[in-house]
Amino acid sequence: MNVATPSLADLAGQAKALVRPKPPAPYGMLAELTHRCPLQCPYCSNPVELDRRNVELDTATWLRVFEEAAKLGVLQVHLSGGEPTARRDLEAMIRHCVEVGLYTNLITAGVGVTAERLQSLADAGVDHVQLSFQGADAAMTAHVSNMKDAFERKLAVAREVRRLGLPLTVNAVVHRANIHQIPDFLELAQRLGARRIEIAHAQYYGWALRNRAALMPTREQVFKALEIVDEARVRLDGILTIDAVVPDYYAKYPKPCMNGWGRQSLNVTPSGKVLPCHAAETIPGLDFWNVAEHSLSEIWLDSPAFNAFRGTDWMPELCQSCERKEKDWGGCRCQAMAIAGDASATDPACHKSPLHAHLLALAEEDAAAGVDQYDYRRFTVPETSQ
Amino acid sequence: MGQHFAPTGTPKLARGVRLRHDEARGQWVLLAPERVLNPDPVAVEILRRVDGERSIAGIVDELAQAFTVERERVEADVDDFLKGLVDKGMVEVSG
Ligand code: SF4
Ligand code: SF4
């Protein structure tokens, strides 16, 4: 008979788990309600393997998840996708969020959303609308989103959102083709009555990684963009809040990805998997728990994926001994995976990483490659069950 | 040191801004688009009265009484505080 005797390493692991300090409660939850979306942005943050409609969580499960989120300490819920308005039960979800005290932020691409639908979302109690723009004009929007009249539709949605008195954020993902439009995006946001704009440099995981050669801006473009944003921040102070997601390939330090793994937020996929960040599934071997089997609080506190890179214990010596370790949390785990092939390596975006030069070379090569064909986001296998 | 708002003005939180008690952390929070603010105790006392009903003068009266502070000081503090939030688009003052 084989009696399992725990090895010393097991015991040490268990002891560590016992003394692990309880992580603070998360502030935000990204609820990816569906992966369905009428647009095909080549940098889409959804995974390359998209969840199909038939595996999407049902209404009752989402309502339970929102309730558990509120109990856990989540304050703001980001209703996202894909295109969240593809879910006909979105109003029911919003009403429930309001009931349990959650602040709701609707993240939409704004195509196929009628004025009546917006009215009903507003009536349900949505707090804030974030609308994505793939370009600052019709041609660029069509080129990037792969839909001809997307821009006009977005403008109509923006007007309606403001007419309803809802606060509006414009979200613009920038990359080589549209990075020169940052001043136009800023103008557009003001013209539409937005109080806030997100200028997000494409982050290279999943679809964007596939399309990196067509998306990567040059170093000159990036530095020009940073200058423009800095200047605009001063000029538009009190008029338009500018939040920027920095382009880290050309940076000295990595971004404090998610403000630390499993520290402030969680992400629920359409099929109910709970991830520390939307790209976490690009890391092989992580054990993600599903809301169908576990409560959100169990997942937050105990799931192996959330504890894998929590705090600073997992860090390599380079980060352990660095004074910035609780500032940037060693950077992004998914980028370490993508570039170093090791999710627990120092993010190669950090200038101290031995792979930093390699990362720079990749970026410069891609930026100069001159590729302008996108591999547009799509369901990889033909739809069967819709 | 001029006042920014008339005492008869009525402040209210802008659409998309909410004040609530955060049970999990035992504190008050002001929620806004992509922002979670932790107002200090004085700010909470003001914010709880920013309801679109009470006038600025009314709020000042209440606070001066509740905390037995000089009315003039409260008036200046409330005015400053509201100005900050109006600039951020989080509060609107009508009238
Ligand atoms: S990034 Fe583009 S394709 Fe992806 S969900 Fe958003 S709008 Fe749709
Ligand atoms: S060495 Fe690690 S902790 Fe230090 S700056 Fe680089 S990534 Fe951040």
Side-chain angles (χ1 to χ4, degrees):
Chain A
M1 203 171 76
N2 192 356
V3 182
T5 34
S7 74
L8 266 184
D10 281 349
L11 284 175
Q14 282 171 21
K16 208 167 181 180
L18 284 177
V19 299
R20 198 168 49 220
K22 195 174 160 202
Y27 281 92
M29 178 169 88
L30 183 73
E32 293 179 345
L33 302 180
T34 177
H35 279 160
R36 288 172 284 149
C37 181
L39 301 189
Q40 297 188 281
C41 310
Y43 49 74
C44 182
S45 62
N46 292 156
V48 173
E49 292 276 336
L50 296 167
D51 281 348
R52 302 207 156 272
R53 184 183 197 154
N54 58 338
V55 300
E56 287 180 9
L57 296 180
D58 61 12
T59 315
T61 308
W62 273 116
L63 299 193
R64 168 172 64 81
V65 169
F66 292 133
E67 207 160 315
E68 290 175 355
K71 279 212 191 88
L72 180 57
V74 168
L75 298 172
Q76 296 192 328
V77 165
H78 310 284
L79 301 165
S80 174
E83 173 51 47
T85 57
R87 294 274 315 213
R88 303 319 296 182
D89 51 1
L90 184 56
E91 283 84 344
M93 297 192 207
I94 292 171
R95 272 193 296 272
H96 193 69
C97 286
V98 173
E99 237 173 76
V100 298
L102 292 169
Y103 186 99
T104 53
N105 174 24
L106 176 67
I107 302 182
T108 177
V111 300
V113 192
T114 62
E116 294 74 51
R117 189 76 201 278
L118 284 169
Q119 178 75 59
S120 106
L121 294 166
D123 291 346
V126 71
D127 286 298
H128 166 231
V129 176
Q130 176 177 318
L131 177 62
S132 66
F133 276 90
Q134 287 68 20
D137 58 33
M140 185 63 75
T141 305
H143 171 59
V144 177
S145 71
N146 206 19
M147 180 189 268
K148 224 174 63 220
D149 57 349
F151 188 67
E152 291 307 320
R153 300 183 188 214
K154 286 163 186 287
L155 291 184
V157 165
R159 273 186 229 114
E160 203 50 33
V161 167
R162 290 304 298 139
R163 201 187 60 76
L164 290 166
L166 290 168
L168 173 71
T169 287
V170 164
N171 166 278
V173 174
V174 295
H175 43 86
R176 191 163 77 235
N178 69 359
I179 193 169
H180 65 281
Q181 290 193 330
I182 291 178
D184 310 327
F185 280 121
L186 294 168
E187 278 242 4
L188 177 67
Q190 289 173 77
R191 206 165 69 227
L192 296 175
R195 292 278 326 208
R196 191 173 160 272
I197 185 170
E198 280 181 16
I199 303 280
H201 288 258
Q203 304 289 309
Y204 298 97
Y205 325 104
W207 289 101
L209 188 58
R210 274 199 179 188
N211 283 294
R212 200 178 58 192
L215 294 170
M216 184 64 74
T218 65
R219 179 195 283 272
E220 292 69 39
Q221 282 183 315
V222 164
F223 282 90
K224 181 89 199 290
L226 292 173
E227 241 173 63
I228 290 173
V229 168
D230 279 350
E231 178 275 327
R233 276 223 172 93
V234 178
R235 181 168 49 89
L236 300 175
D237 184 35
I239 299 169
L240 185 68
T241 303
I242 306 175
D243 285 335
V245 176
V246 295
D248 54 4
Y249 272 44
Y250 298 112
K252 186 169 175 198
Y253 293 112
K255 57 181 180 286
C257 195
M258 305 306 291
N259 281 320
W261 185 274
R263 256 186 95 238
Q264 297 187 336
S265 52
L266 36 77
N267 178 13
V268 184
T269 71
S271 57
K273 263 190 261 180
V274 188
L275 317 176
C277 86
H278 62 77
E281 284 177 288
T282 60
I283 301 175
L286 282 185
D287 184 7
F288 302 107
W289 289 1
N290 193 297
V291 294
E293 281 116 40
H294 299 273
S295 75
L296 209 58
S297 138
E298 273 172 352
I299 299 174
W300 176 255
L301 296 174
D302 298 326
S303 72
F306 272 86
N307 284 315
F309 303 111
R310 225 175 213 146
T312 55
D313 284 355
W314 60 271
M315 286 181 177
E317 178 50 31
L318 187 60
C319 294
Q320 288 282 2
S321 57
C322 174
E323 79 289 349
R324 289 179 59 91
K325 70 176 172 185
E326 293 197 340
K327 267 208 191 93
D328 62 33
W329 304 97
C332 172
R333 296 307 89 226
C334 303
Q335 185 145 277
M337 187 66 229
I339 304 298
D342 172 8
S344 55
T346 296
D347 185 340
C350 177
H351 74 292
K352 296 191 198 176
S353 159
L355 287 165
H356 188 63
H358 170 64
L359 182 81
L360 254 182
L362 282 178
E364 276 166 352
E365 190 184 314
D366 280 344
V371 176
D372 56 5
Q373 282 299 0
Y374 295 137
D375 182 1
Y376 286 110
R377 168 223 207 255
R378 67 195 183 284
F379 285 87
T380 40
V381 198
E383 202 89 30
T384 49
S385 51
Q386 290 224 14
Chain B
M1 191 188 61
Q3 300 278 314
H4 298 101
F5 308 106
T8 49
T10 308
K12 69 168 203 301
L13 296 181
R15 184 95 193 244
V17 179
R18 286 209 255 152
L19 178 75
R20 62 163 273 206
H21 192 258
D22 171 3
E23 308 296 334
R25 298 172 190 82
Q27 62 186 10
W28 284 85
V29 286
L30 190 63
L31 304 173
E34 301 290 330
R35 296 279 188 278
V36 176
L37 283 83
N38 300 119
D40 64 27
V42 177
V44 170
E45 290 306 327
I46 302 175
L47 284 167
R48 289 175 69 175
R49 292 169 172 82
V50 171
D51 55 5
E53 305 273 321
R54 293 166 163 92
S55 67
I56 294 179
I59 294 173
V60 171
D61 285 341
E62 276 186 35
L63 291 172
Q65 218 170 48
F67 299 96
T68 48
V69 207
E70 258 174 78
R71 198 179 183 287
E72 247 162 61
R73 272 223 15 229
V74 181
E75 197 165 26
D77 286 354
V78 169
D79 187 71
D80 264 4
F81 177 73
L82 290 177
K83 175 78 169 84
L85 289 181
V86 167
D87 284 350
K88 289 199 178 78
M90 297 174 85
V91 164
E92 289 157 7
V93 181
S94 61

